Amino acid sequence: MTMKRKQIQKLVYSALFLALALVLPLLTGQIPQIGRALCPMHLPVLLCGFLCGWPWGMAVGFAAPFLRFAIFSAPPMPNGIAMAFELAAYGFLAGFLSRRLTQKPVGVYASLVLAMVGGRIVWGVVRFLMAGLQGSEFPMSAFLAGAVLNSLSGIVLQLVLVPLLVLALRRASVETLD
């Protein structure tokens, strides 16, 4: 495959993942508690990182919350800022780690788990810094609630769905574009 064709494919797939990140929350947003719990924007960003590589995954992750806010006024700001850094970390780490770890299922799971943990840490750091700038606090209890407890359903969904999709695409001989 020529380099130009690969770049065009990455662009097209990234646009698709960005569109999914914008639209998927509409399916769960009718009940806000379910939408926040399932983390629907995270799935396409993680897949973009795995399939298109870290630069594309990071770009889609960073852009999605801002574009979604511009179009739908959600996620609310300043929460969307922390989410943009979190999703950028997801896309970066998923793409970066998946190229360096084994292509076997254990490598996919390891890349995913490390990306999820890294993204949540980035989210916590940004929320902590933003709270400091606003003269408020962001205690560890708020971090645990926001990063783990309130999104436990989304974490389980990501752990099940992302590896299945990545491995299924690999079995179907859909090569990663990186």
Side-chain angles (χ1 to χ4, degrees):
M1 186 181 302
T2 67
M3 193 63 110
K4 185 174 181 173
R5 182 174 170 184
K6 274 190 173 187
Q7 288 298 333
I8 291 171
Q9 282 186 322
K10 287 180 186 183
L11 178 65
V12 169
Y13 280 124
S14 296
L16 172 68
F17 290 125
L18 180 58
L20 286 171
L22 298 176
V23 172
L24 281 177
L26 296 175
L27 301 176
T28 60
Q30 307 311 316
I31 304 171
Q33 296 82 2
I34 291 176
R36 281 191 297 271
L38 291 179
C39 310
M41 290 178 71
H42 299 196
L43 294 169
V45 171
L46 288 164
L47 289 170
C48 185
F50 274 105
L51 298 176
C52 298
W54 71 264
W56 295 93
M58 185 170 72
V60 166
F62 192 75
F66 294 118
L67 285 174
R68 193 154 196 298
F69 179 78
I71 297 168
F72 301 112
S73 299
M77 294 297 162
N79 296 338
I81 295 169
M83 184 182 239
F85 283 97
E86 172 190 22
L87 293 179
Y90 281 166
F92 169 78
L93 290 169
F96 182 81
L97 294 171
S98 70
R99 299 302 181 272
R100 278 140 187 88
L101 300 177
T102 178
Q103 296 298 304
K104 295 180 182 179
V106 69
V108 173
Y109 279 101
S111 299
L112 176 62
V113 168
L114 291 171
M116 291 169 63
V117 170
R120 281 174 167 69
I121 290 171
V122 167
W123 173 83
V125 168
V126 172
R127 288 296 307 261
F128 179 79
L129 292 173
M130 287 172 43
L133 291 173
Q134 295 172 338
S136 60
E137 293 183 6
F138 186 69
M140 183 59 86
S141 60
F143 171 75
L144 291 175
V148 180
L149 300 177
N150 295 342
S151 56
L152 200 53
S153 304
I155 291 169
V156 171
L157 181 65
Q158 292 164 26
L159 288 171
V160 171
L161 199 55
V162 171
L164 286 176
L165 290 171
V166 170
L167 293 170
L169 288 169
R170 286 184 183 166
R171 271 194 293 271
S173 298
V174 174
E175 68 180 70
T176 58
L177 302 172
D178 208 22

